[in-house]
């Protein structure tokens, strides 16, 4: 089974801190994604990457950046955390042969 | 841009009932359709993936169908159990426009009462 692993289930950070959310997948997928999920707003795409060092903005990239130095790892960076970035963050990867998306278990980030 | 709608937003049924969750999409040029389950505070678990050449997929008590001509997919759950309580999301894994995005429906929150 494909595994997408997010390094932390829960994080609490202070306003202004630089925050790194890590995601690793073990099936050599080219495409990886970061979403955030908020009540009433559903899942919104932040950034995605279709290859090493390649990235594209999603629907809500403001306040975030990403890094993809290795194929298996896709990092989401909050340059200066703010309280409105308190959310559930979900990482996903996809098998382009058509096997669908696989999601990680999520990181619940609280910015205080 | 693809839009995906799920009805109802919430559903409560007694244990043992068969039920149907609905998903509709606006762009029939759909590649695949994927159904997910999400438990509170957790990530998404893939349930079924229907590829565009298929009409349905089955896994245990779950059956998902895809009708591209009408822009609809349904998830049928047989003999529901309290453990089926969760939010169910459908998604188009290959939306039109920007490549490789995933367009989600808003989800159906299912509660199965013991």
């Amino acid at each position: 089974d494909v595994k997408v692993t997010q390094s932390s289930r829960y994080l609490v950070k202070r306003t202004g801190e630089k925050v790194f959310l890590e995601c690793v997948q073990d099936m050599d997928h080219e495409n990886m994604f970061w979403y955030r999920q908020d009540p009433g707003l559903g899942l919104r795409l932040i950034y995605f990457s279709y290859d090493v060092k390649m990235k594209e903005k999603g629907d809500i990239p403001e306040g975030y950046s990403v890094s993809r130095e290795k194929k298996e790892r896709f990092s989401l960076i909050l340059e200066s955390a703010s309280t409105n970035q308190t959310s559930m963050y979900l990482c996903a990867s996809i098998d382009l042969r058509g096997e669908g998306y696989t999601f990680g278990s999520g990181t619940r980030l609280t910015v205080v | 841009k693809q839009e995906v709608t799920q009805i109802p937003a919430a559903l409560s049924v007694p244990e043992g009932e068969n039920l149907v969750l609905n998903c509709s999409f606006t762009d029939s040029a759909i590649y695949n359709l994927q159904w997910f389950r999400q438990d509170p505070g957790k990530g998404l678990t893939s349930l079924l993936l229907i590829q565009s050449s298929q009409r349905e997929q089955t896994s245990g008590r779950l059956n998902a169908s895809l009708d591209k001509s009408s822009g609809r997919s349904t998830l049928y759950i047989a003999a529901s159990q309290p453990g089926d309580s969760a939010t169910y999301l459908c998604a188009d894994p290959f939306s039109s426009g920007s490549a490789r995005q995933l367009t989600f429906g808003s989800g159906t929150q299912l509660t199965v009462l013991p």
Side-chain angles (χ1 to χ4, degrees), chain A residues 13-19 78-83 111-112:
Chain A
K13 297 292 182 180
R14 295 194 179 277
T15 301
E17 276 194 72
K18 190 169 186 175
V19 181
L78 286 66
E79 297 290 343
S80 177
S82 63
T83 54
V111 182
V112 298

Side-chain angles (χ1 to χ4, degrees), chain B residues 20-76:
Chain B
V20 174
L21 307 181
N22 295 293
C23 172
S24 61
F25 42 91
T26 54
D27 184 353
S28 62
I30 192 166
Y31 186 77
N32 294 337
L33 193 120
Q34 193 166 3
W35 282 91
F36 296 90
R37 168 188 173 135
Q38 187 176 30
D39 294 288
K42 303 285 181 64
L44 276 66
T45 301
S46 179
L47 296 173
L48 290 164
L49 170 70
I50 311 172
Q51 298 186 353
S52 63
S53 59
Q54 301 171 323
R55 294 286 307 252
E56 63 181 287
Q57 280 283 336
T58 298
S59 175
R61 294 181 294 107
L62 305 180
N63 175 275
S65 66
L66 175 62
D67 184 345
K68 294 173 66 177
S69 62
S70 66
R72 295 183 63 183
S73 177
T74 59
L75 179 66
Y76 174 83

Side-chain angles (χ1 to χ4, degrees), chain B residues 2-3 6-7 9 14 32 37 55 59 70 78 83-85 96 104 112 114:
Chain B
Q2 178 74 284
E3 292 183 7
Q6 290 187 249
I7 295 172
N32 294 337
R37 168 188 173 135
R55 294 286 307 252
S59 175
S70 66
D84 295 330
S85 298
S96 60
F104 282 95
V112 181

